[in-house]
């Protein structure tokens, strides 16, 4: 409970939050093939997810929404447009709409991220690129 009080004392707007989930308490199931997605919240303006990636996310783009990624755990090599970047815990990545991107995990443990996508993400605008 001290943890919640600490956050609320510095960020008064959180006191009106409809949902609070702490990243260090969220885990993937004991077995999943490559990618596990746990929805956090969604409305017409945005969708938020915890995503666990063991191996890779194939090259794709989103036709009508942007994505913000915060890396909670793990490391990887990301292709973002035409740039190769190394990502690690604490990194924040902004992915504009129509920007091809992919990820190859380089750490032994899976990459765990928070992905915030806007507007609402239903998967229909994701286009995989060969």
């Amino acid at each position: 409970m001290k943890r919640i009080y600490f956050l609320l004392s510095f960020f008064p707007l959180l006191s009106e939050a409809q949902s609070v989930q702490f990243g260090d308490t969220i885990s993937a199931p004991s077995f999943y093939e490559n990618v596990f997605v746990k929805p956090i919240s969604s409305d017409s303006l945005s969708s938020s997810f915890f995503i666990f990636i063991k191996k890779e996310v194939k090259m794709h783009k989103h036709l009508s929404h942007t994505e913000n990624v915060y890396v909670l755990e793990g490391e990887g090599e990301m292709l973002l447009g035409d740039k190769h970047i190394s990502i690690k815990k604490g990194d924040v990545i902004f992915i504009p709409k129509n920007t091809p991107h992919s990820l190859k995990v380089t750490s032994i443990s899976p990459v765990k991220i928070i992905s915030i996508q806007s507007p609402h993400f239903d998967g229909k605008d994701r286009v995989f690129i060969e």
Side-chain angles (χ1 to χ4, degrees):
M1 198 53 117
K2 290 179 186 177
R3 186 172 174 183
I4 292 172
Y5 175 75
F6 174 77
L7 286 172
L8 293 178
S9 66
F10 283 96
F11 301 102
L13 293 177
L14 285 178
S15 64
E16 295 180 25
Q18 299 298 310
S19 173
V20 176
Q21 295 186 32
F22 297 106
D24 58 352
T25 66
I26 303 300
S27 60
S30 57
F31 177 80
Y32 61 99
E33 188 67 33
N34 179 35
V35 177
F36 174 74
V37 178
K38 177 169 179 37
I40 300 171
S41 65
S42 187
D43 62 19
S44 64
L45 301 175
S46 68
S47 300
S48 303
F49 307 92
F50 284 106
I51 303 175
F52 298 80
I53 305 128
K54 284 185 177 179
K55 302 171 192 168
E56 68 179 336
V57 174
K58 302 249 186 233
M59 180 70 74
H60 67 286
K61 65 181 180 177
H62 305 282
L63 298 176
S64 61
H65 75 271
T66 62
E67 182 175 9
N68 288 277
V69 172
Y70 177 71
V71 181
L72 295 167
E73 297 175 9
E75 297 177 3
E77 292 295 323
M78 181 174 234
L79 182 58
L80 182 60
D82 60 357
K83 296 180 182 175
H84 290 270
I85 57 173
S86 295
I87 64 165
K88 65 184 180 327
K89 180 180 179 177
D91 288 349
V92 177
I93 302 106
F94 172 69
I95 306 168
K97 69 179 179 178
N98 280 314
T99 302
H101 55 287
S102 64
L103 173 68
K104 291 205 183 279
V105 176
T106 58
S107 54
I108 294 171
S109 62
V111 167
K112 178 181 178 182
I113 65 168
I114 294 176
S115 171
I116 302 168
Q117 303 177 35
S118 60
H120 169 76
F121 179 70
D122 61 9
K124 293 178 182 176
D125 79 330
R126 181 176 25 205
V127 176
F128 285 97
I129 302 167
E130 295 296 319

